[in-house]
PDB file of all heavy atoms in Angstrom:
ATOM      1  N   LEU A   1     109.753 116.022 106.019  1.00 97.00           N
ATOM      2  CA  LEU A   1     108.595 116.376 106.839  1.00 97.00           C
ATOM      3  C   LEU A   1     107.425 116.841 105.979  1.00 97.00           C
ATOM      4  O   LEU A   1     106.259 116.635 106.341  1.00 97.00           O
ATOM      5  CB  LEU A   1     108.974 117.469 107.848  1.00 97.00           C
ATOM      6  CG  LEU A   1     110.056 117.110 108.871  1.00 97.00           C
ATOM      7  CD1 LEU A   1     110.320 118.299 109.783  1.00 97.00           C
ATOM      8  CD2 LEU A   1     109.658 115.882 109.678  1.00 97.00           C
ATOM      9  N   GLU A   2     107.737 117.460 104.863  1.00 97.00           N
ATOM     10  CA  GLU A   2     106.676 117.955 103.983  1.00 97.00           C
ATOM     11  C   GLU A   2     105.888 116.817 103.333  1.00 97.00           C
ATOM     12  O   GLU A   2     104.784 117.023 102.838  1.00 97.00           O
ATOM     13  CB  GLU A   2     107.285 118.864 102.904  1.00 97.00           C
ATOM     14  CG  GLU A   2     107.729 120.214 103.451  1.00 97.00           C
ATOM     15  CD  GLU A   2     108.739 120.917 102.561  1.00 97.00           C
ATOM     16  OE1 GLU A   2     109.064 120.370 101.491  1.00 97.00           O
ATOM     17  OE2 GLU A   2     109.210 122.006 102.951  1.00 97.00           O
ATOM     18  N   LYS A   3     106.423 115.611 103.361  1.00 96.00           N
ATOM     19  CA  LYS A   3     105.725 114.448 102.808  1.00 96.00           C
ATOM     20  C   LYS A   3     104.647 113.918 103.753  1.00 96.00           C
ATOM     21  O   LYS A   3     103.848 113.061 103.361  1.00 96.00           O
ATOM     22  CB  LYS A   3     106.721 113.320 102.524  1.00 96.00           C
ATOM     23  CG  LYS A   3     107.735 113.623 101.439  1.00 96.00           C
ATOM     24  CD  LYS A   3     108.678 112.440 101.283  1.00 96.00           C
ATOM     25  CE  LYS A   3     109.740 112.704 100.224  1.00 96.00           C
ATOM     26  NZ  LYS A   3     110.690 111.551 100.137  1.00 96.00           N
ATOM     27  N   VAL A   4     104.638 114.395 104.992  1.00 97.00           N
ATOM     28  CA  VAL A   4     103.737 113.843 106.002  1.00 97.00           C
ATOM     29  C   VAL A   4     102.321 114.354 105.778  1.00 97.00           C
ATOM     30  O   VAL A   4     101.957 115.463 106.176  1.00 97.00           O
ATOM     31  CB  VAL A   4     104.227 114.193 107.426  1.00 97.00           C
ATOM     32  CG1 VAL A   4     103.259 113.642 108.474  1.00 97.00           C
ATOM     33  CG2 VAL A   4     105.626 113.642 107.650  1.00 97.00           C
ATOM     34  N   THR A   5     101.522 113.549 105.108  1.00 96.00           N
ATOM     35  CA  THR A   5     100.123 113.871 104.851  1.00 96.00           C
ATOM     36  C   THR A   5      99.276 112.628 105.108  1.00 96.00           C
ATOM     37  O   THR A   5      99.766 111.498 105.039  1.00 96.00           O
ATOM     38  CB  THR A   5      99.901 114.335 103.396  1.00 96.00           C
ATOM     39  OG1 THR A   5     100.401 113.323 102.494  1.00 96.00           O
ATOM     40  CG2 THR A   5     100.623 115.647 103.118  1.00 96.00           C
ATOM     41  N   THR A   6      97.996 112.851 105.401  1.00 96.00           N
ATOM     42  CA  THR A   6      97.079 111.737 105.619  1.00 96.00           C
ATOM     43  C   THR A   6      96.611 111.183 104.278  1.00 96.00           C
ATOM     44  O   THR A   6      96.596 111.912 103.281  1.00 96.00           O
ATOM     45  CB  THR A   6      95.863 112.189 106.427  1.00 96.00           C
ATOM     46  OG1 THR A   6      95.192 113.236 105.694  1.00 96.00           O
ATOM     47  CG2 THR A   6      96.270 112.718 107.795  1.00 96.00           C
ATOM     48  N   PRO A   7      96.211 109.907 104.253  1.00 97.00           N
ATOM     49  CA  PRO A   7      96.259 108.937 105.354  1.00 97.00           C
ATOM     50  C   PRO A   7      97.644 108.312 105.497  1.00 97.00           C
ATOM     51  O   PRO A   7      98.408 108.264 104.530  1.00 97.00           O
ATOM     52  CB  PRO A   7      95.230 107.891 104.916  1.00 97.00           C
ATOM     53  CG  PRO A   7      95.314 107.898 103.415  1.00 97.00           C
ATOM     54  CD  PRO A   7      95.564 109.340 103.039  1.00 97.00           C
ATOM     55  N   PHE A   8      97.952 107.843 106.709  1.00 98.00           N
ATOM     56  CA  PHE A   8      99.217 107.153 106.931  1.00 98.00           C
ATOM     57  C   PHE A   8      99.071 105.688 106.525  1.00 98.00           C
ATOM     58  O   PHE A   8      97.998 105.100 106.664  1.00 98.00           O
ATOM     59  CB  PHE A   8      99.613 107.207 108.413  1.00 98.00           C
ATOM     60  CG  PHE A   8      99.918 108.589 108.919  1.00 98.00           C
ATOM     61  CD1 PHE A   8     100.009 108.820 110.290  1.00 98.00           C
ATOM     62  CD2 PHE A   8     100.123 109.663 108.065  1.00 98.00           C
ATOM     63  CE1 PHE A   8     100.297 110.086 110.782  1.00 98.00           C
ATOM     64  CE2 PHE A   8     100.408 110.933 108.539  1.00 98.00           C
ATOM     65  CZ  PHE A   8     100.493 111.139 109.912  1.00 98.00           C
ATOM     66  N   PRO A   9     100.135 105.091 106.025  1.00 98.00           N
ATOM     67  CA  PRO A   9     100.079 103.655 105.717  1.00 98.00           C
ATOM     68  C   PRO A   9      99.846 102.826 106.981  1.00 98.00           C
ATOM     69  O   PRO A   9     100.222 103.248 108.090  1.00 98.00           O
ATOM     70  CB  PRO A   9     101.451 103.364 105.108  1.00 98.00           C
ATOM     71  CG  PRO A   9     102.335 104.480 105.547  1.00 98.00           C
ATOM     72  CD  PRO A   9     101.457 105.675 105.714  1.00 98.00           C
ATOM     73  N   ARG A  10      99.219 101.664 106.803  1.00 98.00           N
ATOM     74  CA  ARG A  10      98.945 100.762 107.914  1.00 98.00           C
ATOM     75  C   ARG A  10      99.399  99.357 107.545  1.00 98.00           C
ATOM     76  O   ARG A  10      99.212  98.917 106.420  1.00 98.00           O
ATOM     77  CB  ARG A  10      97.450 100.745 108.251  1.00 98.00           C
ATOM     78  CG  ARG A  10      96.897 102.113 108.610  1.00 98.00           C
ATOM     79  CD  ARG A  10      95.401 102.066 108.900  1.00 98.00           C
ATOM     80  NE  ARG A  10      94.860 103.420 109.085  1.00 98.00           N
ATOM     81  CZ  ARG A  10      93.601 103.676 109.420  1.00 98.00           C
ATOM     82  NH1 ARG A  10      92.758 102.659 109.594  1.00 98.00           N
ATOM     83  NH2 ARG A  10      93.200 104.925 109.568  1.00 98.00           N
ATOM     84  N   ILE A  11      99.994  98.674 108.508  1.00 98.00           N
ATOM     85  CA  ILE A  11     100.422  97.302 108.301  1.00 98.00           C
ATOM     86  C   ILE A  11     100.089  96.533 109.576  1.00 98.00           C
ATOM     87  O   ILE A  11     100.311  97.026 110.683  1.00 98.00           O
ATOM     88  CB  ILE A  11     101.939  97.231 107.968  1.00 98.00           C
ATOM     89  CG1 ILE A  11     102.375  95.789 107.721  1.00 98.00           C
ATOM     90  CG2 ILE A  11     102.777  97.876 109.055  1.00 98.00           C
ATOM     91  CD1 ILE A  11     103.823  95.650 107.241  1.00 98.00           C
ATOM     92  N   THR A  12      99.530  95.350 109.438  1.00 98.00           N
ATOM     93  CA  THR A  12      99.224  94.561 110.626  1.00 98.00           C
ATOM     94  C   THR A  12     100.501  93.977 111.205  1.00 98.00           C
ATOM     95  O   THR A  12     101.525  93.833 110.515  1.00 98.00           O
ATOM     96  CB  THR A  12      98.265  93.407 110.300  1.00 98.00           C
ATOM     97  OG1 THR A  12      98.929  92.482 109.424  1.00 98.00           O
ATOM     98  CG2 THR A  12      96.973  93.918 109.654  1.00 98.00           C
ATOM     99  N   TYR A  13     100.428  93.635 112.474  1.00 98.00           N
ATOM    100  CA  TYR A  13     101.570  92.979 113.128  1.00 98.00           C
ATOM    101  C   TYR A  13     101.949  91.715 112.362  1.00 98.00           C
ATOM    102  O   TYR A  13     103.142  91.454 112.131  1.00 98.00           O
ATOM    103  CB  TYR A  13     101.204  92.650 114.573  1.00 98.00           C
ATOM    104  CG  TYR A  13     102.245  91.831 115.291  1.00 98.00           C
ATOM    105  CD1 TYR A  13     103.292  92.427 115.981  1.00 98.00           C
ATOM    106  CD2 TYR A  13     102.196  90.430 115.276  1.00 98.00           C
ATOM    107  CE1 TYR A  13     104.264  91.668 116.626  1.00 98.00           C
ATOM    108  CE2 TYR A  13     103.151  89.663 115.920  1.00 98.00           C
ATOM    109  CZ  TYR A  13     104.192  90.289 116.593  1.00 98.00           C
ATOM    110  OH  TYR A  13     105.151  89.539 117.231  1.00 98.00           O
ATOM    111  N   ASP A  14     100.953  90.920 111.950  1.00 98.00           N
ATOM    112  CA  ASP A  14     101.224  89.674 111.216  1.00 98.00           C
ATOM    113  C   ASP A  14     102.026  89.956 109.948  1.00 98.00           C
ATOM    114  O   ASP A  14     103.034  89.297 109.663  1.00 98.00           O
ATOM    115  CB  ASP A  14      99.909  88.987 110.832  1.00 98.00           C
ATOM    116  CG  ASP A  14      99.166  88.457 112.045  1.00 98.00           C
ATOM    117  OD1 ASP A  14      99.688  88.581 113.161  1.00 98.00           O
ATOM    118  OD2 ASP A  14      98.060  87.918 111.861  1.00 98.00           O
ATOM    119  N   ASP A  15     101.566  90.960 109.191  1.00 98.00           N
ATOM    120  CA  ASP A  15     102.265  91.295 107.946  1.00 98.00           C
ATOM    121  C   ASP A  15     103.638  91.893 108.218  1.00 98.00           C
ATOM    122  O   ASP A  15     104.575  91.704 107.428  1.00 98.00           O
ATOM    123  CB  ASP A  15     101.418  92.271 107.124  1.00 98.00           C
ATOM    124  CG  ASP A  15     100.179  91.600 106.521  1.00 98.00           C
ATOM    125  OD1 ASP A  15     100.165  90.364 106.438  1.00 98.00           O
ATOM    126  OD2 ASP A  15      99.230  92.327 106.158  1.00 98.00           O
ATOM    127  N   ALA A  16     103.756  92.607 109.327  1.00 98.00           N
ATOM    128  CA  ALA A  16     105.052  93.192 109.676  1.00 98.00           C
ATOM    129  C   ALA A  16     106.081  92.103 109.969  1.00 98.00           C
ATOM    130  O   ALA A  16     107.243  92.204 109.564  1.00 98.00           O
ATOM    131  CB  ALA A  16     104.903  94.119 110.886  1.00 98.00           C
ATOM    132  N   VAL A  17     105.649  91.048 110.673  1.00 98.00           N
ATOM    133  CA  VAL A  17     106.561  89.937 110.959  1.00 98.00           C
ATOM    134  C   VAL A  17     107.023  89.281 109.657  1.00 98.00           C
ATOM    135  O   VAL A  17     108.219  88.996 109.476  1.00 98.00           O
ATOM    136  CB  VAL A  17     105.880  88.902 111.875  1.00 98.00           C
ATOM    137  CG1 VAL A  17     106.725  87.626 111.976  1.00 98.00           C
ATOM    138  CG2 VAL A  17     105.658  89.485 113.269  1.00 98.00           C
ATOM    139  N   GLU A  18     106.092  89.066 108.747  1.00 97.00           N
ATOM    140  CA  GLU A  18     106.449  88.460 107.457  1.00 97.00           C
ATOM    141  C   GLU A  18     107.396  89.361 106.669  1.00 97.00           C
ATOM    142  O   GLU A  18     108.363  88.896 106.065  1.00 97.00           O
ATOM    143  CB  GLU A  18     105.180  88.189 106.643  1.00 97.00           C
ATOM    144  CG  GLU A  18     104.332  87.066 107.197  1.00 97.00           C
ATOM    145  CD  GLU A  18     105.100  85.768 107.342  1.00 97.00           C
ATOM    146  OE1 GLU A  18     105.791  85.380 106.369  1.00 97.00           O
ATOM    147  OE2 GLU A  18     105.050  85.163 108.429  1.00 97.00           O
ATOM    148  N   PHE A  19     107.100  90.656 106.685  1.00 97.00           N
ATOM    149  CA  PHE A  19     107.974  91.615 105.987  1.00 97.00           C
ATOM    150  C   PHE A  19     109.393  91.572 106.552  1.00 97.00           C
ATOM    151  O   PHE A  19     110.378  91.550 105.796  1.00 97.00           O
ATOM    152  CB  PHE A  19     107.397  93.030 106.117  1.00 97.00           C
ATOM    153  CG  PHE A  19     108.337  94.123 105.689  1.00 97.00           C
ATOM    154  CD1 PHE A  19     108.528  94.417 104.342  1.00 97.00           C
ATOM    155  CD2 PHE A  19     109.054  94.857 106.632  1.00 97.00           C
ATOM    156  CE1 PHE A  19     109.404  95.420 103.950  1.00 97.00           C
ATOM    157  CE2 PHE A  19     109.933  95.857 106.251  1.00 97.00           C
ATOM    158  CZ  PHE A  19     110.112  96.139 104.901  1.00 97.00           C
ATOM    159  N   LEU A  20     109.499  91.550 107.873  1.00 98.00           N
ATOM    160  CA  LEU A  20     110.826  91.547 108.505  1.00 98.00           C
ATOM    161  C   LEU A  20     111.597  90.271 108.164  1.00 98.00           C
ATOM    162  O   LEU A  20     112.812  90.316 107.933  1.00 98.00           O
ATOM    163  CB  LEU A  20     110.669  91.711 110.017  1.00 98.00           C
ATOM    164  CG  LEU A  20     110.211  93.097 110.480  1.00 98.00           C
ATOM    165  CD1 LEU A  20     109.841  93.078 111.959  1.00 98.00           C
ATOM    166  CD2 LEU A  20     111.286  94.147 110.225  1.00 98.00           C
ATOM    167  N   LYS A  21     110.903  89.168 108.150  1.00 96.00           N
ATOM    168  CA  LYS A  21     111.578  87.910 107.783  1.00 96.00           C
ATOM    169  C   LYS A  21     112.101  87.980 106.345  1.00 96.00           C
ATOM    170  O   LYS A  21     113.212  87.523 106.047  1.00 96.00           O
ATOM    171  CB  LYS A  21     110.620  86.735 107.959  1.00 96.00           C
ATOM    172  CG  LYS A  21     110.366  86.358 109.423  1.00 96.00           C
ATOM    173  CD  LYS A  21     109.466  85.150 109.522  1.00 96.00           C
ATOM    174  CE  LYS A  21     109.274  84.709 110.954  1.00 96.00           C
ATOM    175  NZ  LYS A  21     110.541  84.261 111.589  1.00 96.00           N
ATOM    176  N   GLU A  22     111.296  88.588 105.474  1.00 96.00           N
ATOM    177  CA  GLU A  22     111.730  88.753 104.080  1.00 96.00           C
ATOM    178  C   GLU A  22     112.942  89.667 103.973  1.00 96.00           C
ATOM    179  O   GLU A  22     113.750  89.550 103.043  1.00 96.00           O
ATOM    180  CB  GLU A  22     110.578  89.318 103.246  1.00 96.00           C
ATOM    181  CG  GLU A  22     109.424  88.347 103.047  1.00 96.00           C
ATOM    182  CD  GLU A  22     108.213  89.018 102.423  1.00 96.00           C
ATOM    183  OE1 GLU A  22     108.313  90.237 102.115  1.00 96.00           O
ATOM    184  OE2 GLU A  22     107.182  88.353 102.252  1.00 96.00           O
ATOM    185  N   GLN A  23     113.060  90.595 104.928  1.00 96.00           N
ATOM    186  CA  GLN A  23     114.183  91.524 104.929  1.00 96.00           C
ATOM    187  C   GLN A  23     115.418  90.953 105.630  1.00 96.00           C
ATOM    188  O   GLN A  23     116.418  91.658 105.811  1.00 96.00           O
ATOM    189  CB  GLN A  23     113.772  92.832 105.616  1.00 96.00           C
ATOM    190  CG  GLN A  23     112.648  93.584 104.917  1.00 96.00           C
ATOM    191  CD  GLN A  23     113.040  94.028 103.527  1.00 96.00           C
ATOM    192  OE1 GLN A  23     114.084  94.633 103.323  1.00 96.00           O
ATOM    193  NE2 GLN A  23     112.202  93.697 102.537  1.00 96.00           N
ATOM    194  N   GLY A  24     115.313  89.704 106.071  1.00 96.00           N
ATOM    195  CA  GLY A  24     116.477  89.063 106.679  1.00 96.00           C
ATOM    196  C   GLY A  24     116.522  89.110 108.185  1.00 96.00           C
ATOM    197  O   GLY A  24     117.536  88.736 108.791  1.00 96.00           O
ATOM    198  N   PHE A  25     115.445  89.548 108.835  1.00 95.00           N
ATOM    199  CA  PHE A  25     115.414  89.570 110.300  1.00 95.00           C
ATOM    200  C   PHE A  25     114.931  88.214 110.810  1.00 95.00           C
ATOM    201  O   PHE A  25     113.761  88.021 111.152  1.00 95.00           O
ATOM    202  CB  PHE A  25     114.484  90.686 110.791  1.00 95.00           C
ATOM    203  CG  PHE A  25     115.012  92.072 110.582  1.00 95.00           C
ATOM    204  CD1 PHE A  25     114.694  92.777 109.427  1.00 95.00           C
ATOM    205  CD2 PHE A  25     115.836  92.669 111.517  1.00 95.00           C
ATOM    206  CE1 PHE A  25     115.179  94.057 109.218  1.00 95.00           C
ATOM    207  CE2 PHE A  25     116.331  93.949 111.324  1.00 95.00           C
ATOM    208  CZ  PHE A  25     116.008  94.648 110.171  1.00 95.00           C
ATOM    209  N   ASP A  26     115.854  87.277 110.895  1.00 92.00           N
ATOM    210  CA  ASP A  26     115.503  85.932 111.322  1.00 92.00           C
ATOM    211  C   ASP A  26     115.278  85.837 112.829  1.00 92.00           C
ATOM    212  O   ASP A  26     114.822  84.802 113.333  1.00 92.00           O
ATOM    213  CB  ASP A  26     116.606  84.952 110.917  1.00 92.00           C
ATOM    214  CG  ASP A  26     116.787  84.901 109.401  1.00 92.00           C
ATOM    215  OD1 ASP A  26     115.776  85.034 108.682  1.00 92.00           O
ATOM    216  OD2 ASP A  26     117.943  84.738 108.946  1.00 92.00           O
TER     217      ASP A  26
END
């Protein structure tokens, strides 16, 4: 919890889909 500081990371939905596919979520 102590790591929670601004700014938060942001990822677009498009990039999230690509990331998940790379992680094996077919």
Side-chain angles (χ1 to χ4, degrees):
L1 298 180
E2 287 160 2
K3 294 179 181 177
V4 179
T5 55
T6 60
F8 294 166
R10 302 178 187 184
I11 181 174
T12 66
Y13 173 89
D14 292 357
D15 289 341
V17 170
E18 289 304 312
F19 168 79
L20 289 170
K21 286 183 176 296
E22 291 170 2
Q23 297 297 310
F25 289 92
D26 298 325

